[in-house]
Amino acid sequence: MTEGTLAPDCRPRLAPHVRLRFDAVRARQVLLAPERVLMPDETAVAVLQLCDGERSLAAIAAELAVRYQAPPAVVAADIAEMLQDLVDKGLVLA
Amino acid sequence: MNASPPEGLAPPLAVLLELTHRCPLRCPYCSNPLELERARGELATGQWTRVLDEAAAMGVLQVHFSGGEPTARTDLEALVAHAAGRGLYTNLITSAVLLDRARIAALAAAGLDHVQISFQDSEAAGADRIGGYPGGHAKKLAAAREVKAAGLALTLNAVMHRQNLHHLPEMIELALDLGAGRLEVAHVQYYGWGLANRAALIPTRTQLEAATATVEAARVRHKGRLVIDYVVPDYYARRPKACMGGWARQFLNISPSGKVLPCHAAESIPGLSFENVAQRPLAAIWAQSEAFQRFRGTGWMPEPCRSCARAEIDWGGCRCQAFALAGDAALTDPACALSPHHGAVLALAEAESEAGREAFVYRQIGARIPA
Ligand code: SF4
Ligand code: SF4
């Protein structure tokens, strides 16, 4: 594995044993994995919902940059950092 | 229902179902209580499905099917399917010696998310001696391969102690070889059977330091391929672990007969009474039962915890360990260096680990535990 940030052309997706779902009791999205429950914030949820293994990291960043009216380069850097952390935890494959 | 929870009480994240205490293995550190429950007292399928409904409704997100050996129950597939239908994340915690291809396929079809298989050692001779079950290791290897072949996520649970720590590097290799995405390196915890066998199991400080270094190096080397979770034996630590993330804060454990416990070892604490899912809704037990309220939060804490900055970080450590080592569950966990009992506990650990006892008291119904 290489250290550092993900390449713009990688196509991230949730690892097969990881599930993102809405929890009605807490009224929020939760990320479920073995022995782990994560409560991703709204931005992280927006990213994870686009991690379908088809969109590239660059495409995800472009889409969210439009949605949040933010500079694409900044969005791309933020997303890459967040996803790298989830890749290191084995929750996202890229 | 008038089970108004204490102010600000969040719903539990996970529930562990001890479907049965039956198990072909006899591990000397088994997490089941010394007083094992008999098969005739086990909840029926319909009672477990009701428990799953109640758990999902109160906000539980994950269910661990455990035991004993949960695959000894022929209704396991039905229970997994029921849990999956309620949106629960389903995890099977198994010794795997009863799992064959057909059973694994049925569990996968029922919607099982993840399988965790325990290994007693990295090679058959040691593993079969520790587990007290000849041929067990070979069966585990075969089952782990079938789990991967069925496309299920696999965690390897390596329970480590003085008699197998020299094989930790091989355990890590085994996890990689079997294609596990996650490895749990869990040092034995000393309550129940583990406490009865502490003299035969507790690592030396040198062993522990070597193990920690091995894990840290392996984490870096296999980053992105294998996640390693590490549970340390806190006798040698300066501060205790946040046992269960705090008593009655995140987790429920249900025994084969339906007793609801804040942790699997809670019955080792005398004077606590536990309510049963057959008598009261799970949400009411969680919110109000005496055993859950007894050590919830920080109100019960004595000094030095009461005025400690870590009170809401480690929650005073483990209640069962406080009872086992200091004779009172309402004291600071003696694993904490601020506990007045810490020095004695550390000295005992060092003395026992150096003495080198090898014989085990194997887990079994009605075993005689030497004092
Ligand atoms: S720890 Fe060993 S004896 Fe206890 S339930 Fe697990 S496999 Fe069986
Ligand atoms: S004194 Fe209590 S709260 Fe403070 S570190 Fe020790 S166990 Fe934790």
Side-chain angles (χ1 to χ4, degrees):
Chain A
M1 282 311 286
T2 49
E3 291 282 322
T5 46
L6 301 167
D9 63 346
C10 73
R11 297 172 195 280
R13 62 189 158 92
L14 291 185
H17 59 281
V18 176
R19 297 209 325 241
L20 179 69
R21 77 160 175 90
F22 185 74
D23 169 39
V25 173
R26 294 171 186 78
R28 64 176 303 156
Q29 293 282 340
V30 291
L31 191 65
L32 304 174
E35 302 290 336
R36 280 190 179 79
V37 175
L38 277 73
M39 307 273 171
D41 63 21
E42 213 179 302
T43 330
V45 169
V47 174
L48 290 169
Q49 283 173 335
L50 296 178
C51 289
D52 53 10
E54 288 176 14
R55 290 175 168 87
S56 69
L57 186 60
I60 295 171
E63 210 169 316
L64 292 177
V66 172
R67 199 187 299 174
Y68 294 115
Q69 298 183 315
V74 175
V75 175
D78 285 354
I79 294 179
E81 192 186 324
M82 177 206 129
L83 287 178
Q84 181 67 54
D85 180 51
L86 293 175
V87 168
D88 291 344
K89 290 182 176 140
L91 303 177
V92 167
L93 305 179
Chain B
M1 186 174 55
N2 61 357
S4 60
E7 196 72 38
L9 178 66
L13 297 175
V15 59
L16 185 142
L17 310 183
E18 291 175 3
L19 294 181
T20 178
H21 279 166
R22 288 173 282 149
C23 181
L25 272 73
R26 302 185 292 134
C27 305
Y29 45 70
C30 181
S31 62
N32 290 160
L34 294 174
E35 203 65 51
L36 294 165
E37 292 184 12
R38 314 280 164 141
R40 61 174 177 275
E42 289 172 13
L43 294 186
T45 310
Q47 291 174 296
W48 281 123
T49 55
R50 184 174 58 72
V51 166
L52 290 166
D53 291 342
E54 292 184 8
M58 68 194 275
V60 168
L61 298 169
Q62 295 188 316
V63 55
H64 304 285
F65 292 97
S66 184
E69 177 45 53
T71 59
R73 293 264 312 207
T74 52
D75 57 359
L76 179 63
E77 290 83 339
L79 297 177
V80 168
H82 195 89
R86 291 288 176 275
L88 292 162
Y89 188 94
T90 54
N91 178 25
L92 176 64
I93 300 178
T94 178
S95 72
V97 298
L98 305 177
L99 276 179
D100 59 17
R101 181 180 297 174
R103 196 87 200 271
I104 291 166
L107 287 164
L112 186 64
D113 288 303
H114 174 256
V115 180
Q116 171 172 320
I117 300 181
S118 62
F119 277 81
Q120 281 66 25
D121 203 340
S122 60
E123 42 88 43
D128 292 353
R129 180 181 89 86
I130 295 164
Y133 183 73
H137 188 71
K139 289 185 177 157
K140 284 162 185 274
L141 292 175
R145 296 210 159 87
E146 294 292 352
V147 164
K148 282 301 290 181
L152 288 165
L154 174 68
T155 287
L156 201 139
N157 171 255
V159 183
M160 307 306 294
H161 46 82
R162 192 174 72 243
Q163 299 197 41
N164 68 2
L165 266 171
H166 57 290
H167 282 153
L168 181 56
E170 288 84 354
M171 279 287 209
I172 295 168
E173 286 308 313
L174 181 62
L176 290 163
D177 178 48
L178 292 172
R182 184 168 160 271
L183 169 67
E184 219 173 69
V185 176
H187 284 276
V188 168
Q189 303 291 307
Y190 298 102
Y191 352 92
W193 295 98
L195 185 63
N197 283 290
R198 187 179 58 196
L201 295 170
I202 195 157
T204 64
R205 194 189 275 271
T206 316
Q207 269 187 313
L208 177 63
E209 281 162 8
T212 304
T214 301
V215 167
E216 278 165 8
R219 274 179 173 159
V220 174
R221 194 160 356 111
H222 307 302
K223 192 166 166 182
R225 191 166 157 222
L226 180 68
V227 175
I228 306 181
D229 285 344
Y230 187 51
V231 181
V232 296
D234 52 10
Y235 280 43
Y236 291 123
R238 306 263 321 147
R239 295 291 179 265
K241 62 184 180 299
C243 193
M244 315 312 300
W247 182 273
R249 289 190 68 248
Q250 301 185 340
F251 182 82
L252 292 155
N253 188 99
I254 307 183
S255 85
S257 66
K259 270 183 284 183
V260 188
L261 315 173
C263 85
H264 62 82
E267 286 179 283
S268 67
I269 301 174
L272 288 182
S273 64
F274 303 99
E275 298 193 62
N276 193 297
V277 289
Q279 265 107 47
R280 205 177 178 199
L282 193 59
I285 297 176
W286 168 253
Q288 297 171 337
S289 82
E290 182 234 307
F292 282 74
Q293 293 286 59
R294 179 68 183 85
F295 299 115
R296 184 176 259 149
T298 56
W300 61 273
M301 284 182 177
E303 293 295 349
C305 295
R306 178 176 287 276
S307 48
C308 179
R310 289 179 55 86
E312 294 195 355
I313 297 172
D314 62 40
W315 305 95
C318 171
R319 297 305 87 227
C320 306
Q321 192 154 276
F323 174 74
L325 299 178
D328 183 351
L331 291 178
T332 297
D333 183 344
C336 178
L338 300 174
S339 157
H341 299 270
H342 182 73
V345 164
L346 189 59
L348 184 71
E350 284 177 337
E352 283 188 353
S353 69
E354 301 293 345
R357 187 183 113 189
E358 288 199 348
F360 296 132
V361 181
Y362 284 102
R363 165 208 137 112
Q364 66 182 66
I365 289 184
R368 282 202 300 124
I369 313 298

